[in-house]
Amino acid sequence: MIIRLALLAILTLAITPLIEAATAAEQTARVALVIGNAKYPDSETPLKQPVNDARELAAELQRAGFEVETGENLSGEAMRRAFDRLSARVTPGAVALVFFSGFGIQSNRQSYLIPVDAQIWTEADVRRDGISLETVLGEIHGRGAAIKVALLDASRRNPFERRFRSFSAGLAPVVAPNGSLVMYSAALGSVVSDNGGEHGLFVAELLKALRAPAPNVEDTLSRTRLAITRASNGEQVPWVSSSLTEEFSLMPGPAATVALNAPPPGIEPAPAAAAPEPASAAGAAASLALAEDPTIKTLSGKLADNPDDANARYRRGQVYASKGAYALAVQDFDATIKLNPRDVEAFNNRCWVRSVIGELQAALKDCNEALRLRPNFADALDSRGLVNLKNGQVKNAIADFDAALKIDPRLTSSLYGRGLAKQRNGAVAEGALDISNAKAMDPNIVQEFAGYGVR
């Protein structure tokens, strides 16, 4: 199921205000960069909470005496320039804070902040287009910042996640320089769902804690973590890492705010829901939306120049599949395999798409071919497990999911699928445990499988 691009839940990375000099007389510089990225072309819909969270947090930081620079929906180049400006504002002994809300990905046990224009298809693309959190903290430290604060709210499922084999859910532990404090909105390697409100749970509880001053930063974070854990019934437990050697607490003070590309302050009201369109009009609108999708337009342009570009053909098939345009996805995978009959990824993806739309015999044939080309291919085992589950072959499904999990124990879809298969095979308690563990790793997994026609 390599194309499961459910919004992961959005990975959001956030680095925030919990700091200040012990007395105003110290005149310690406090600088912050606050970024909310919401409009990712690869997502089905823009995220709502990152921009709202960034605006509210920027205002709170300003009240706490930080000189704040804000940015919304920043490209890779714009993000790099913003981080360069932050480093330039750091003076020896300063407090430096970064907040990023949007998608984050871990690669090689590092966490990367993802710009809105990132083109991520392989793990190498993460390192090329993403911004390494460890690099950001290292550069700020090199400029002489005494305190570095990173509050990371980037543990969302993201649309890039299953495009490359070595993906790991959630964020990785950060190797930060001395004098750093990092807080993740969720446990390492886990993802969370948006709560549907104007603000994410992490920032909402953090703001409450910041507005009730505590003796030091650790107390503020402890209160925040406890409130989030209780509000989520234990499903979201923030992770904190600190190498601070001094005590700090927030101290109100005037500060300037510099906007990068943000609209005027205030949260824009959500547009009123439109009346349902007739089926034919809805279909035409969907076709137009696909044609105007920026990623699809780019790939279609490449194929217009070179119809034999197998890489562009395969990538467009992935995008079509992620948006539910399964017939178009199959066409692109067909063409990819015709160009390269040994393209194991294309066979696996076509297997997954065919399993979703109920072409189970053809799907099984594709998965078997993928595994012939690449034995012990976890994604193909995962996909074949779905085929067998939908086909009522629960023992075969359990065997496939077991094999996939031996290769990748954090393959949530295999864990959840195995749970369903075990329950259908009579092992109700064992299945319930798998399902519970899968839901803890990915709260969207039930909805995802429902989209495959499996409940």
Side-chain angles (χ1 to χ4, degrees), residues 408-434:
D408 183 358
R410 296 198 61 81
L411 199 54
T412 316
S413 55
S414 284
L415 187 59
Y416 185 78
R418 188 178 70 178
L420 293 178
K422 283 181 176 179
Q423 289 192 328
R424 294 179 185 183
N425 198 44
V428 177
E430 287 184 24
L433 180 60
D434 278 348

Side-chain angles (χ1 to χ4, degrees), residues 198-231:
E198 292 296 326
H199 294 285
L201 178 60
F202 175 67
V203 171
E205 295 299 338
L206 176 61
L207 289 170
K208 292 178 185 177
L210 293 174
R211 290 162 182 164
N216 56 56
V217 175
E218 282 78 7
D219 285 347
T220 302
L221 293 185
S222 179
R223 251 192 344 233
T224 302
R225 178 169 53 190
L226 181 61
I228 292 171
T229 303
R230 288 175 174 171

Side-chain angles (χ1 to χ4, degrees), residues 44 282-297 320 323:
E44 294 180 1
S287 297
L288 179 61
L290 282 173
E292 293 302 315
D293 178 90
T295 304
I296 291 175
K297 287 179 71 173
Y320 279 142
K323 295 182 179 298

Side-chain angles (χ1 to χ4, degrees), residues 139-186:
E139 290 178 352
I140 295 171
H141 180 73
R143 298 283 298 187
I147 303 292
K148 286 75 61 179
V149 179
L151 300 179
L152 315 177
D153 188 11
S155 300
R156 295 180 173 94
R157 286 284 300 274
N158 63 72
F160 313 110
E161 100 177 39
R162 291 188 61 112
R163 292 178 181 173
F164 49 92
R165 173 67 244 126
S166 55
F167 172 82
S168 297
L171 301 176
V174 62
V175 180
N178 290 335
S180 299
L181 185 149
V182 179
M183 183 175 190
Y184 292 3
S185 62

Side-chain angles (χ1 to χ4, degrees), residues 25-332:
E26 291 180 51
Q27 297 298 312
T28 299
R30 285 175 288 170
V31 296
L33 173 61
V34 175
I35 298 174
N37 278 356
K39 295 181 179 179
Y40 290 86
D42 290 76
S43 297
E44 294 180 1
T45 57
L47 303 173
K48 178 168 65 172
Q49 294 171 348
V51 170
N52 293 345
D53 287 346
R55 293 176 182 177
E56 188 78 10
L57 190 53
E60 192 66 30
L61 285 173
Q62 184 182 2
R63 285 191 286 271
F66 282 85
E67 179 187 325
V68 184
E69 183 171 300
T70 63
E72 297 175 12
N73 299 314
L74 299 186
S75 66
E77 183 180 356
M79 281 181 63
R80 289 180 177 86
R81 290 200 305 265
F83 281 115
D84 286 345
R85 286 194 296 272
L86 175 67
S87 294
R89 290 189 289 143
V90 171
T91 55
V95 173
L97 181 149
V98 180
F99 173 91
F100 174 85
S101 183
F103 287 136
I105 296 179
Q106 68 161 287
S107 174
N108 280 344
R109 296 187 63 78
Q110 287 195 43
S111 293
Y112 290 83
L113 320 182
I114 306 303
V116 295
D117 63 345
Q119 292 291 311
I120 295 176
W121 299 93
T122 67
E123 189 166 7
D125 296 336
V126 177
R127 296 187 290 273
R128 180 198 67 201
D129 288 356
I131 309 293
S132 165
L133 175 64
E134 290 185 4
T135 298
V136 168
L137 293 176
E139 290 178 352
I140 295 171
H141 180 73
R143 298 283 298 187
I147 303 292
K148 286 75 61 179
V149 179
L151 300 179
L152 315 177
D153 188 11
S155 300
R156 295 180 173 94
R157 286 284 300 274
N158 63 72
F160 313 110
E161 100 177 39
R162 291 188 61 112
R163 292 178 181 173
F164 49 92
R165 173 67 244 126
S166 55
F167 172 82
S168 297
L171 301 176
V174 62
V175 180
N178 290 335
S180 299
L181 185 149
V182 179
M183 183 175 190
Y184 292 3
S185 62
L188 298 174
S190 65
V191 294
V192 297
S193 298
D194 285 349
N195 59 19
E198 292 296 326
H199 294 285
L201 178 60
F202 175 67
V203 171
E205 295 299 338
L206 176 61
L207 289 170
K208 292 178 185 177
L210 293 174
R211 290 162 182 164
N216 56 56
V217 175
E218 282 78 7
D219 285 347
T220 302
L221 293 185
S222 179
R223 251 192 344 233
T224 302
R225 178 169 53 190
L226 181 61
I228 292 171
T229 303
R230 288 175 174 171
S232 66
N233 293 320
E235 292 185 1
Q236 181 177 347
V237 182
W239 177 88
V240 180
S241 173
S242 176
S243 61
L244 295 181
T245 58
E246 302 177 51
E247 287 194 356
F248 287 88
S249 62
L250 284 175
M251 182 183 297
T257 299
V258 181
L260 298 182
N261 64 347
I267 307 228
E268 299 175 5
E277 298 179 78
S280 58
S287 297
L288 179 61
L290 282 173
E292 293 302 315
D293 178 90
T295 304
I296 291 175
K297 287 179 71 173
T298 298
L299 294 170
S300 296
K302 290 183 177 181
L303 289 168
D305 294 336
N306 179 14
D308 293 334
D309 186 339
N311 187 47
R313 184 76 63 181
Y314 168 75
R315 290 183 175 185
R316 193 177 68 174
Q318 285 188 303
V319 178
Y320 279 142
S322 73
K323 295 182 179 298
Y326 299 122
L328 293 174
V330 169
Q331 289 179 15
D332 273 346

